[in-house]
Amino acid sequence: MGEFTARRMWLLAQRTGRIATGRLRAREKTGPPSGLVTGFARPVPTLVIGELLPSAVRGPGD
């Protein structure tokens, strides 16, 4: 099946960087009291795991 190829992992690393950057930029825009945990630490792992799931598992619009 080859889901965890070097290329796929490189693409995931790139996507993870974009996710993290996006969450940090969103946090900058909202300003205090935007919490690091609620604005970054909680959603980032969930978003990255979502990138690993096949679209059939996520469902339409997810």
Side-chain angles (χ1 to χ4, degrees):
M1 189 166 248
E3 288 295 320
F4 290 101
T5 63
R7 179 171 164 36
R8 175 93 165 100
M9 292 302 98
W10 183 84
L11 291 171
L12 181 61
Q14 300 303 306
R15 179 67 182 129
T16 300
R18 287 192 298 275
I19 289 170
T21 299
R23 294 307 305 168
L24 289 172
R25 286 186 179 150
R27 188 173 175 271
E28 285 176 347
K29 288 180 184 177
T30 59
S34 174
L36 185 60
V37 171
T38 57
F40 183 81
R42 283 189 189 147
V44 168
T46 303
L47 293 168
V48 171
I49 290 168
E51 292 293 320
L52 293 170
L53 296 175
S55 59
V57 174
R58 290 189 298 221
D62 289 345

